[in-house]
Structure formats: structure tokens, C-alpha cells
Amino acid sequence: MGISQAWMDAWFQVQEMITTFFQALPQILLSIIVFGLFYAVSSWVKLVVKRVAHAAELPPGAEMVLGRLARWTTVTIGLLVALTIALESFEPGQLIQLLGISSVAIGFAFHDILQNFLAGILLLLTEPFKIGDQIVVNDFEGTVENVETRATMIKTYDGRRVVIPNAHLFTESVIVNTAFPVRRTEYRVGIGFSDDVGEAIGLILEAMRGVDGVLEHPAPDVLVAELGDFSVNLRARWWTDSVRSNVLQIQSEVITTIKEKLLANGIDLPFPTQQVLFHDQTEEIDGDRSRQREGWPAGKGPVPEQRRALSADLLKQAFAGGEAGQTEASGSEAEGGGT
């Protein structure tokens, strides 16, 4: 008897649910239709907002962000309207209150995600760089492929993809190599101390101007950078297109042309050298500043006779004596071994 009563109660509950469903079915269908209309209208709203932003000459990133926000705002409003129609007891204020209470917990749980999301929106609105720009972020350098709301994708020059969180891009320093159409490159060229600096500068300028891709305006120039340990260092500077492939290719051609031009005209390209001077070493040209060698002070007295710390004859005698001693030692060892 108890089991039959339980089955009867369950059956009545099922019938009540079915009856309630069919009674609410028109409202459910109406809510679905209303939500579908809002969802369809959201695409049109997104398009209108993007056109308005484009007419206002906002950056492309800002157009995309405003369009997305307008679309999802429309969809959210449609969802609230549909729930209000489908559920008579539902009030949008309750949902908003519930979201407000839970937003604190959500904020702590998804701190990094929300931070990257907000940073992505700010990057798209302010647009410090755009898709196709070549940027440098710490140890990463490449071309921007896409700027999303969470992360930015860059393609490195060796064909790899790097995903960088937007919060990192927003807080760290970013070098945008292609922010401007032209870019300056410089290279240090060392010439000998005895070479004519003016002549070398003229040859380097001539070499740079003869390379395709080096811009005439701004014009290339050459500056004397420093007097190095073994060379006079000149700084050659020229302007090219800011794209990295062009920069590297033209730099290679400029350096090659400068080397060939200087060597063809007798300009020395010195390499590091060291000179060892003995304390008693003198030469006939000491004191003559027009003839003296590097590292010797000018003397005021008579020029002394040439005197070497160790002459070639002494070196020969030393080597000859050493060889003779080794020969005698070898003979003595041979005789000792025979006995």
C-alpha cells in the first residue's frame, strides 16, 4: 500500500511538471525568439559601432574592441530580457546583485586573466604597436601576428611563435622598430693613426652613398668617435627602410663596400698589436717627433746612436751555443750508454 501511494505521488508530480511546462511553453518559445533576435541584432550593432569608430579615425584595434563590447553587451541584454519573459519570478536585479557579490571572489581567482584582459583592451585602444610591426620585448624580437584580449602573438625571425601576456607588454618597455618608416644604422670603422682622417671620411661617405637602399635624406654621415688603443675609430651612420630584412642586407653591403674602398685607396685597417720596449733600447730617430715610432717620448738632447737590447748576432750566438751544448750532451749520453 505504501509503495503504491509513493508511485501515485510521483506520477502526480510528473503530471504537474508536464502541465506547468506546457503552460510556460509559449513564454519559453517567446524568450528563445527574443534572444535570437537580440543575438542577430548584435552583429549589426557591432558593424555599426566599427563603422562609427572608423569614421572617427580611431585605431583599428579600438574599432575591434568597441565592436566586440557592443555586440556582447547587446547579447547580455537579450539574455536578461529572455530570462525575464521565460521565468515570471526572475528579476534582473537579483542576477546583478549575485554577480556583484561573486565578483570579488572571481577577481581573486582570476586575477592574472583579468589583468591580461584589461591590458589587452588598453593595448588595442591606445595601439602603441599594430599587427605587422616588428618589436623587441626583453629577449624576444619578431613581427606582431595578432593582438588578442589576453595575449599578443609575435613571430620571431627564425620562424617561431612567442605568446606574450598583455600585462607584460603593458608594464614593460617595448621597442617598436617599425614605428617610423626609416631607421638609422651605425658601424664603427678603425683606421691607422698615420692615415688621413679627412680622406678616410670622404671614402666612407662615397662608399655608403653607392649602396642601393641607403637613403639620401637623411644623408649618411661619418663622425670621429675616439682615439683607440691602436686605431682612430670613425662612426659611419646611414638611414634605411625600417624593416629588419632590409636593414641587415644593406648593412652587409655597406660594410663590404667600405672595406673594399678603404683598402683600394691605401687606408690601413689595423688590428690589435702590442709593442714590447726594453728599458735600455734606443734608436737613432728618438727625439725626432716627425720620425719617431709610437710610444717613444721626444728627447731634447743629442740623438744617441742606435743600440739594441739584444742584437741579432747575440741571438745567433746564443742559439748556436745552445745547440752545441745539446749535441755534446747527447754524445756523452751515447758514450755512457755504450759502456
Side-chain angles (χ1 to χ4, degrees):
M1 185 69 180
I3 298 177
S4 300
Q5 185 65 33
W7 277 104
M8 291 294 294
D9 293 339
W11 174 247
F12 287 140
Q13 290 179 2
V14 171
Q15 285 184 333
E16 185 178 356
M17 292 173 61
I18 293 174
T19 303
T20 303
F21 173 75
F22 279 104
Q23 291 177 351
L25 184 59
Q27 295 178 339
I28 294 175
L29 293 177
L30 180 61
S31 65
I32 293 175
I33 293 173
V34 170
F35 179 75
L37 290 175
F38 271 92
Y39 190 84
V41 170
S42 65
S43 299
W44 178 79
V45 172
K46 176 182 177 181
L47 183 61
V48 171
V49 171
K50 290 182 67 175
R51 288 182 177 178
V52 172
H54 182 74
E57 298 182 352
L58 296 178
E63 297 178 13
M64 181 174 62
V65 170
L66 293 177
R68 289 178 179 177
L69 290 176
R71 180 182 181 185
W72 290 112
T73 301
T74 305
V75 171
T76 302
I77 294 174
L79 178 61
L80 294 177
V81 173
L83 290 175
T84 303
I85 296 174
L87 305 174
E88 295 180 355
S89 61
F90 175 79
E91 295 181 2
Q94 296 176 354
L95 179 61
I96 296 174
Q97 183 179 4
L98 178 62
L99 292 176
I101 296 174
S102 61
S103 61
V104 177
I106 294 174
F108 281 109
F110 300 96
H111 174 264
D112 293 336
I113 296 176
L114 294 176
Q115 186 179 14
N116 289 323
F117 177 76
L118 294 176
I121 292 178
L122 292 175
L123 286 175
L124 290 171
L125 290 175
T126 58
E127 202 176 29
F129 53 82
K130 57 183 180 295
I131 296 175
D133 274 337
Q134 295 178 345
I135 64 174
V136 181
V137 185
N138 291 339
D139 297 332
F140 304 110
E141 181 175 359
T143 304
V144 178
E145 286 187 312
N146 192 17
V147 181
E148 299 179 352
T149 53
R150 188 192 70 83
T152 297
M153 315 291 182
I154 68 171
K155 181 180 180 181
T156 61
Y157 301 126
D158 55 357
R160 295 180 294 172
R161 173 177 292 173
V162 181
V163 181
I164 303 177
N166 287 330
H168 185 72
L169 289 172
F170 193 75
T171 56
E172 297 290 335
S173 299
V174 179
I175 301 175
V176 185
N177 288 328
T178 53
F180 304 101
V182 296
R183 177 179 171 185
R184 191 183 72 184
T185 306
E186 62 180 47
Y187 188 79
R188 194 187 70 173
V189 181
I191 63 174
F193 278 93
S194 59
D195 294 320
D196 189 339
V197 175
E199 180 184 1
I201 290 177
L203 293 172
I204 293 175
L205 287 174
E206 182 180 350
M208 290 190 294
R209 290 167 181 159
V211 176
D212 293 335
V214 175
L215 302 179
E216 296 182 0
H217 303 286
D221 60 357
V222 182
L223 302 175
V224 179
E226 61 179 349
L227 300 177
D229 295 334
F230 54 88
S231 64
V232 178
N233 297 322
L234 308 179
R235 185 176 299 162
R237 307 188 301 181
W238 64 93
W239 293 81
T240 61
D241 181 19
S242 59
V243 179
R244 178 180 169 83
S245 58
N246 297 337
V247 171
L248 293 180
Q249 181 64 32
I250 295 173
Q251 178 178 342
S252 175
E253 296 179 8
V254 167
I255 295 174
T256 303
T257 306
I258 289 175
K259 174 180 177 294
E260 294 175 351
K261 177 72 71 173
L262 293 179
L263 293 179
N265 289 271
I267 302 297
D268 185 24
L269 298 177
F271 50 85
T273 57
Q274 290 184 342
Q275 184 178 13
V276 180
L277 304 176
F278 295 94
H279 70 283
D280 61 345
Q281 183 177 356
T282 60
E283 295 183 358
E284 295 179 353
I285 59 174
D286 289 350
D288 187 350
R289 187 168 292 277
S290 63
R291 299 175 59 199
Q292 74 179 94
R293 297 169 62 183
E294 289 80 4
W296 290 93
K300 297 182 179 180
V303 178
E305 297 292 335
Q306 182 177 2
R307 180 163 58 89
R308 298 181 180 179
L310 188 61
S311 64
D313 294 337
L314 292 177
L315 287 174
K316 291 180 180 179
Q317 292 177 8
F319 280 111
E323 293 177 356
Q326 291 179 359
T327 303
E328 292 178 358
S330 299
S332 299
E333 291 177 359
E335 291 177 0
T339 58

